[in-house]
Amino acid sequence: MANENKRDYYEVLGVAKDASEADIKRAYRKMAAQYHPDVNHEPGAEERFKEINEANEVLSDADKRARYDQFGFAGVDPNYAGAGGGGSPFGGFGDFGDLGDIFGSFFGGGTRRRSANAPQRGEDVMARVELTFEDAAFGTEREISASRIENCDRCGGSGAAEGTKAQTCHRCGGRGTVRTQQNFMGMVMQSDSACPECRGTGKIIPNPCNRCKGKGKIRKSFKTMVKFPAGIDDGQTVRVPGEGSVGMNGGPNGNILIAVQVKRHPVFTRQGQSVYVEMPISFSQAALGAEIEVPTIDGRVRYTIGEGTQTGTTFRLKGKGIPYVNSSSRGDEFVTVVVETPTKLSKEQKELLHKFETAAGDQSHPKRKKFFDLFK
């Protein structure tokens, strides 16, 4: 990404400058899942994904974040030209590489940048899965399809063609970095930068593998079975450790991060571990009381409602809600009854209701009587 096009890392992740580590981690996972090339094929998504990863690499590292907060891009990118970027306090004097090297050189030796041959963790693989309400409640196992970076199966990850091998870079001696010196106001400044000959790898590959073009890595599609625990909710993420892209230079593999979407249920709604349902009952059931069948995620159960039950009355079925993740405990189900007014009445039914209304009087409708008494 060109220096002049760089955006502020906090702006890239959409977090405030005082954001906590958890805020940064949450923002990164959300945006990485949205723009990962495996799930987003829109133009510019891959570049956006790289920008998000670059911002996370700096802001998730306490040392890098501190340097970035103090010096901007010049504090974390040795190739960043401070003039015009506004990141370096020495922008008007040209590019002096990593500021840690500049200040360290006052005391001799400078600060060495991380070797390109150092172990690096592989990137995380993002995926999505849609579960039914019941599968999320009771847990399930699903096959997930995605792609990840793996060692080339032809060269074994060396990048060299069969029968050949990589050679140590003659310019940097295999270190991957070269040291340069610059004069600044009568002082000699030393800085380390990536070797231009081997691009920081410390190795030259005269005969690259024709499968991976010398990279040693290829992207491959894969499938794996993943268990989703009982009680998982919409918007949560399941992490499968060590099954992501292969690490570099012996570094650990990345993880698989699976974003969960839960389908709507036609009867039940969920808030946390609680289940809610609206249950229609008849006028006579509400007035006389009745034993009714109530749907739960375990099946139907019988429940007795009392005489004179009103619309909006809610009762609780303990332990009939969603299980807590990795626990034997469960939430509750809350049932709200709705008295259904009868429609399409026959002439005989209407006459019976008129007789009932006359016989019942105000004594059977205390709320209605109280309402009209307020106007007297």
Side-chain angles (χ1 to χ4, degrees):
M1 186 173 295
N3 289 340
E4 61 271 17
N5 293 332
K6 276 182 177 289
R7 291 198 299 148
D8 176 72
Y9 289 146
Y10 292 101
E11 178 186 343
V12 170
L13 294 183
V15 296
K17 291 198 173 184
D18 59 351
S20 66
E21 290 183 14
D23 291 336
I24 291 171
K25 185 176 183 180
R26 186 163 39 259
Y28 165 69
R29 286 186 172 180
K30 179 180 178 180
M31 299 191 73
Q34 180 180 353
Y35 289 99
H36 195 283
D38 290 342
V39 297
N40 191 328
H41 303 290
E42 296 180 0
E46 185 172 356
E47 287 302 314
R48 187 83 167 88
F49 181 70
K50 291 178 181 178
E51 182 185 42
I52 292 165
N53 274 314
E54 180 181 331
N56 179 66
E57 183 180 354
V58 172
L59 299 185
S60 62
D61 184 301
D63 181 55
K64 290 182 181 179
R65 183 179 179 182
R67 295 205 307 269
Y68 176 69
D69 288 344
Q70 186 172 5
F71 302 115
F73 296 117
V76 292
D77 186 352
N79 300 313
Y80 184 78
S88 171
F90 298 97
F93 297 97
D95 180 10
F96 298 106
D98 191 328
L99 292 193
D101 291 343
I102 294 176
F103 294 123
S105 66
F106 285 114
F107 306 98
T111 304
R112 296 186 64 86
R113 53 185 286 157
R114 184 178 70 175
S115 170
N117 295 319
Q120 298 178 36
R121 179 178 173 275
E123 68 177 27
D124 291 334
V125 171
M126 308 295 177
R128 293 180 184 273
V129 68
E130 187 176 53
L131 303 179
T132 65
F133 192 94
E134 291 82 1
D135 283 344
F138 297 115
T140 187
E141 190 173 16
R142 288 289 184 85
E143 185 178 67
I144 300 299
S145 300
S147 67
R148 63 189 172 195
I149 303 298
E150 299 181 1
N151 285 325
C152 175
D153 51 10
R154 183 166 298 177
C155 67
S158 70
E162 187 176 359
T164 68
K165 61 181 181 179
Q167 300 176 0
T168 301
C169 176
H170 64 86
R171 181 164 182 178
C172 66
R175 294 185 302 273
T177 59
V178 291
R179 174 158 292 191
T180 58
Q181 294 183 346
Q182 291 178 317
N183 291 320
F184 173 67
M185 299 178 65
M187 294 180 292
V188 177
M189 300 293 184
Q190 295 181 340
S191 63
D192 291 339
S193 59
C195 175
E197 190 75 21
C198 64
R199 297 184 180 180
T201 64
K203 298 178 181 179
I204 300 295
I205 302 177
N207 300 300
C209 169
N210 59 9
R211 175 81 182 273
C212 65
K213 311 304 180 186
K215 295 180 179 179
K217 303 287 187 290
I218 56 175
R219 181 173 289 275
K220 292 183 66 175
S221 298
F222 72 100
K223 295 181 179 181
T224 186
M225 296 300 293
V226 177
K227 291 184 178 181
F228 295 87
I232 194 167
D233 204 353
D234 185 76
Q236 292 183 334
T237 301
V238 169
R239 173 177 170 270
V240 184
E243 293 296 323
S245 293
V246 68
M248 298 287 290
N249 304 318
N253 291 355
N255 306 316
I256 304 177
L257 302 176
I258 307 163
V260 174
Q261 293 178 315
V262 180
K263 293 181 181 179
R264 289 182 177 273
H265 195 278
V267 174
F268 305 115
T269 58
R270 174 180 175 180
Q271 292 183 19
Q273 311 312 117
S274 299
V275 172
Y276 295 84
V277 62
E278 283 193 350
M279 177 77 183
I281 61 175
S282 70
F283 174 77
S284 58
Q285 287 175 321
L288 302 176
E291 186 178 59
I292 60 175
E293 284 192 341
V294 180
T296 74
I297 59 176
D298 299 306
R300 296 186 178 187
V301 298
R302 302 194 71 82
Y303 185 85
T304 301
I305 58 174
E307 294 183 10
T309 297
Q310 304 294 313
T311 287
T313 300
T314 299
F315 56 88
R316 181 177 70 168
L317 299 178
K318 191 172 182 180
K320 291 298 182 180
I322 305 293
Y324 288 88
V325 176
N326 299 325
S327 171
S328 59
S329 300
R330 293 179 59 171
D332 302 325
E333 178 175 323
F334 295 89
V335 183
T336 300
V337 296
V338 178
V339 179
E340 184 177 17
T341 302
T343 60
K344 299 180 180 180
L345 298 174
S346 66
K347 181 178 179 181
E348 181 182 1
Q349 290 170 331
K350 290 179 181 179
E351 290 176 351
L352 289 172
L353 279 178
H354 281 305
K355 291 179 180 179
F356 169 77
E357 180 73 13
T358 301
D362 288 342
Q363 299 304 317
S364 298
H365 301 89
K367 288 186 178 180
R368 184 178 67 179
K369 182 177 183 301
K370 182 178 179 181
F371 177 79
F372 285 105
D373 285 345
L374 294 173
F375 293 96
K376 293 182 179 179

